[in-house]
Amino acid sequence: MKKQIIIKCLVELDIPYLIKLSKRKTMRIHFDSSAILIINAPLLIKISSLEAFVEKNINWIKERYNEVLEKKVTYNNGSIQYYLGKPYILRINHSK
C-alpha cells in the first residue's frame, strides 16, 4: 500500500503535485506539460525534510506554476496553433 504524502503549502495554493520516491541522493522539482509539480526525492527521506524543501522553494514554484499555466495549450475551434513556425487555424470536426 502506498503512503499518501500531503504537503500543506501546496494544498493551500491549490497546486497539483506528484511525489516520486526513488533511489536517488538529491531532490528535484519541476513542472510537467500539464502544470503538475513533480517532486523527485530519495526513498528514505523524512516528510519534514520534503516539506522544508518545498517551503524553501515556494516562490520559485509559484512563479513557474503561473508561467506553465500561461503556456498551457488549449485546443478550441478557431484558435490559432503554430506548426513549424507557421500559424494555422484549428478546425475541430466531431465525428461519430
Side-chain angles (χ1 to χ4, degrees):
M1 185 170 91
K2 289 190 175 185
K3 183 179 177 183
Q4 185 177 5
I5 301 171
I6 298 174
I7 300 178
K8 189 176 179 182
C9 62
L10 294 176
V11 172
E12 290 172 355
L13 293 171
D14 199 29
I15 297 176
Y17 65 95
L18 175 66
I19 299 172
K20 293 183 177 182
L21 301 176
S22 62
K23 293 181 182 178
R24 60 182 300 139
K25 293 182 181 180
T26 59
M27 288 187 275
R28 175 181 181 229
I29 53 176
H30 66 280
F31 283 94
D32 68 2
S33 60
S34 58
I36 297 175
L37 179 67
I38 308 296
I39 305 167
N40 299 95
L43 279 171
L44 301 175
I45 193 166
K46 294 180 183 177
I47 296 174
S48 59
S49 298
L50 189 60
E51 289 173 341
F53 178 73
V54 170
E55 287 176 13
K56 176 183 165 196
N57 293 291
I58 198 67
N59 289 331
W60 181 90
I61 292 170
K62 287 191 271 188
E63 289 173 12
R64 295 301 173 273
Y65 183 62
N66 290 330
E67 288 177 13
V68 171
L69 285 181
E70 289 175 7
K71 292 180 183 179
K72 195 171 180 182
V73 177
T74 57
Y75 299 104
N76 297 320
N77 197 24
S79 67
I80 296 175
Q81 301 296 321
Y82 289 88
Y83 178 70
L84 298 176
K86 295 181 181 179
Y88 293 91
I89 297 175
L90 184 64
R91 301 281 182 231
I92 299 174
N93 295 326
H94 297 282
S95 59
K96 294 180 182 178

